[in-house]
Amino acid sequence: MNEFVVSELKNSIAEITFGTPKSNALPGAILEKLAQTILNEGSKEEVKAIVLKSEGEKAFCGGASFDELLAIEELEASTKFFGGFAKVLNAMRNCGKIVVVRVQGKTTGGGVGIACGADYCFATKSSALALTEINLGIGPFVIGPYVERKIGKSQFSAMAIDADFRSADWAEQHNIYHSVSESIEEMDTKLEKFLETLASRSSDALALIKKVSWEGTDHFNELMPDRIHMSASLILEESAKKNIESIKERLRVK
Ligand SMILES: CC(C)(COP(=O)([O-])OP(=O)(O)OC[C@H]1O[C@@H](n2cnc3c(N)ncnc32)[C@H](O)[C@@H]1OP(=O)(O)O)[C@@H](O)C(=O)NCCC(=O)NCCSC(=O)/C=C/C[N+](C)(C)C
């Protein structure tokens, strides 16, 4: 599978799908394209809502691409890369349309950020999630405000410190997921019905719901440069590269 972002308009809903061969982990080019596609679709009058999904039946998103992180050698490149996550979340927040996220499997790091950037999130029972950044020697700084908005500061810091997986049921109890299904088929049936209803709603009412839901988040813009710098500088440490190589090896032999 090549890396891709595609979008398709179905019954007034823009369906955006991204995919990469390694657990839908995200390289910089895909982050840029994803952010731009969300903004483009959000600006179209005929689009009532956006549904964001990833390819395949396994992981929803493995977060930042290890290969891209390993290739980064200087601050300018790492700042651009981590800034890509900020752009995607910012696009979800500011695109003017309700963003529904479909999580079919495990999600980590930046992928948790995408689930938390949703206005409404569908998931399956197998969609456990973890903030694994500390395993690499970085932290969930850029996605932090979005995760905190859903689960609160205490749960956010616990997830960031222990890097352990939480279950889909836990994520539902903590306001990240709004619907958890036993299987992908069941989730898709529920999602289809939900989108059909959404498409029949007033565009003006949906736009206002979006607006009030994100009230009080304007300061995220001011937080981002510092947050991006935290990860961007930590990833340049030699220990971060060693950590990534050992995680890759652990995943290869598991
Ligand atoms: C839970 C994961 C993602 C998926 O588990 P699985 O059981 O479905 O698949 P498996 O572990 O067998 O992995 C399949 C292959 O995918 C490769 N992989 C996984 N994640 C990545 C990645 N991030 N980059 C590149 N490749 C990845 C894995 O090595 C396997 O390849 P091979 O078949 O061995 O060749 C599970 O894979 C997992 O836990 N992965 C680690 C996830 C992780 O730690 N991600 C980085 C988080 S840091 C981050 O996202 C930072 C974001 C920046 N910011 C904070 C600014 C948002």
Side-chain angles (χ1 to χ4, degrees):
M1 188 220 304
N2 288 325
E3 300 166 1
F4 68 90
V5 176
V6 289
S7 62
E8 195 183 351
L9 186 65
K10 290 182 184 168
N11 186 28
S12 306
I13 307 290
E15 186 175 299
I16 301 175
T17 310
F18 66 93
T20 68
K22 295 283 183 179
S23 299
N24 292 318
L26 296 163
I30 291 293
L31 289 167
E32 296 285 337
K33 191 152 186 220
L34 200 47
Q36 201 48 58
T37 307
I38 293 167
L39 290 176
N40 284 348
E41 294 301 330
S43 70
K44 293 180 185 166
E45 211 171 306
E46 65 272 25
V47 169
K48 282 255 176 100
I50 291 170
V51 58
L52 187 54
K53 53 202 274 200
S54 70
E55 179 73 352
E57 301 204 332
K58 289 194 77 189
F60 168 68
C61 177
S65 158
F66 293 148
D67 298 330
E68 183 117 354
L69 291 173
L70 286 170
I72 287 172
E73 277 171 359
E74 32 88 80
L75 192 60
E76 197 182 335
S78 62
T79 302
K80 186 165 190 292
F81 177 64
F82 288 108
F85 281 95
K87 283 188 189 171
V88 170
L89 294 174
N90 200 40
M92 293 174 79
R93 182 165 67 96
N94 285 322
C95 67
K97 301 289 159 70
I98 298 294
V99 179
V100 180
V101 173
R102 172 191 180 273
V103 181
Q104 76 278 24
K106 286 181 185 165
T107 189
T108 55
V112 176
I114 294 178
C116 289
D119 296 297
Y120 206 99
C121 193
F122 282 79
T124 63
K125 281 264 182 230
S126 54
S127 305
L129 74 202
L131 295 177
T132 50
E133 285 88 344
I134 190 88
N135 296 336
L136 283 64
I138 59 172
F141 307 119
V142 170
I143 63 173
Y146 293 83
V147 183
E148 275 180 50
R149 174 175 169 266
K150 291 281 165 94
I151 69 176
K153 207 178 250 307
S154 171
Q155 293 292 345
F156 164 71
S157 71
M159 280 188 87
I161 291 164
D162 67 35
D164 290 337
F165 276 91
R166 268 66 171 171
S167 70
D169 287 338
W170 182 94
E172 189 177 26
Q173 284 153 20
H174 289 80
N175 310 312
I176 299 176
Y177 299 155
H178 301 99
S179 167
V180 175
S181 299
E182 291 297 327
S183 64
I184 293 178
E185 294 69 33
E186 184 188 311
M187 172 178 68
D188 283 341
T189 305
K190 286 186 195 165
L191 178 59
E192 203 177 317
K193 200 156 172 268
F194 178 86
L195 295 175
E196 223 175 272
T197 309
L198 206 54
S200 71
R201 302 295 194 197
S202 148
S203 297
D204 291 343
L206 290 174
L208 287 174
I209 289 171
K210 177 85 187 188
K211 186 170 179 281
V212 301
S213 304
W214 288 95
E215 260 170 17
T217 63
D218 286 350
H219 68 289
F220 287 8
N221 296 335
E222 287 126 55
L223 292 177
M224 281 307 134
D226 272 356
R227 297 299 184 98
I228 291 167
H229 185 73
M230 291 174 192
S231 288
S233 48
L234 284 171
I235 203 69
L236 296 176
E237 292 181 12
E238 199 42 45
S239 56
K241 301 252 189 296
K242 285 194 186 130
N243 291 337
I244 295 170
E245 291 292 6
S246 69
I247 296 167
K248 279 181 74 170
E249 183 55 16
R250 181 172 50 76
L251 293 175
R252 198 182 60 76
V253 298
K254 86 170 183 207

